[in-house]
């Protein structure tokens, strides 16, 4: 009997039973067919057009997720989620929102803004498409130093320790993000 239970436990571990997928990976999997139609992520690569990104954003929107094109030319899908986050934050309540930014390479950048105990943070999770599957490239949490909702735009600035001065070409990372809300 112990041997059977041990075998079942091993099988569950090997198949990932009970292991939750990262929410950002699960979001990307919702538009996997769009990415697969463009390339396998190896020799063919992926370079989504604006129309394909719009299709991916639409699929995320149907799932009720707050999503946007990487170039932020269009307003986010489900702006009411941003408003609900902002209202809860203004009331001093713990609040969280995930904004999914669909990238040209088929992956996405998930910006999870969180307000708790009077402080704002952002977890930036980068999902990439490689070898026919989505996976997390990095997930880092930073302190938000400025968060504004003004004129139909949500803007946050975060503190990235050891971010070198200069430009993107010098290794500097722009730590300000802006989303059009509506």
């Amino acid at each position: 009997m112990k041997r059977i239970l041990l075998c079942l436990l091993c099988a569950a571990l090997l198949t990932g039973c009970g292991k939750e997928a990262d929410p950002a990976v699960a979001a990307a999997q919702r538009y996997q067919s769009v990415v697969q139609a463009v390339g396998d992520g190896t020799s063919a690569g992926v370079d989504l057009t604006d129309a394909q990104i719009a299709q991916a954003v639409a699929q995320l929107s149907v799932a009720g997720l707050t999503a946007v094109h990487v170039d932020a030319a269009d307003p986010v899908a489900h702006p009411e989620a941003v408003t609900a986050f902002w209202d809860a934050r203004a009331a001093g309540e713990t609040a969280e929102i995930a904004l999914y930014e669909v990238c040209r390479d088929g992956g996405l950048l998930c910006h999870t803004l969180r307000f708790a105990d009077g402080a704002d943070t952002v977890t930036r999770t980068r999902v990439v498409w490689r070898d026919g599957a989505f996976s997390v490239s990095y997930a880092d949490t930073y302190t938000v130093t400025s968060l504004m909702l003004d004129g139909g735009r949500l803007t946050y600035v975060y503190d990235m320790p050891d971010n070198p001065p200069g430009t993107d070409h010098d290794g500097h990372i722009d730590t300000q993000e802006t989303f059009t809300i509506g």
Side-chain angles (χ1 to χ4, degrees):
M1 182 67 160
K2 286 182 183 179
R3 184 182 227 166
I4 293 172
L5 288 175
L6 183 59
C7 288
L8 289 173
L9 177 63
C10 289
L13 290 172
L14 289 173
T15 61
C17 179
K19 181 181 175 187
E20 274 188 46
D22 184 281
V25 171
Q29 289 170 338
R30 293 186 175 279
Y31 63 84
Q32 184 167 333
S33 61
V34 174
V35 177
Q36 284 176 319
V38 176
D40 62 6
T42 55
S43 59
V46 174
D47 185 16
L48 299 180
T49 65
D50 288 336
Q52 290 162 328
I53 291 174
Q55 184 181 1
V57 167
Q59 289 180 9
L60 293 174
S61 177
V62 166
L65 301 175
T66 306
V68 68
H69 187 293
V70 69
D71 294 337
D74 299 320
V76 298
H78 297 289
E80 69 280 359
V82 175
T83 303
F85 165 78
W86 194 261
D87 291 347
R89 182 184 176 275
E93 300 169 7
T94 298
E96 184 174 288
I97 185 169
L99 298 135
Y100 295 95
E101 185 176 12
V102 179
C103 302
R104 294 207 179 272
D105 66 3
L108 59 77
L109 179 58
C110 178
H111 309 256
T112 304
L113 291 166
R114 180 170 171 73
F115 176 78
D117 301 321
D120 292 301
T121 58
V122 63
T123 299
R124 295 169 52 89
T125 304
R126 180 67 162 104
V127 173
V128 295
W129 174 256
R130 253 189 227 121
D131 299 325
F134 288 108
S135 62
V136 173
S137 171
Y138 64 83
D140 298 312
T141 301
Y142 302 100
T143 299
V144 172
T145 58
S146 175
L147 181 61
M148 298 172 289
L149 181 59
D150 186 38
R153 293 188 180 272
L154 176 71
T155 301
Y156 76 86
V157 179
Y158 62 99
D159 178 35
M160 177 182 270
D162 301 321
N163 190 14
T167 66
D168 290 342
H169 298 290
D170 300 326
H172 174 79
I173 296 173
D174 184 11
T175 58
Q176 177 175 314
E177 296 287 342
T178 301
F179 301 92
T180 301
I181 303 307

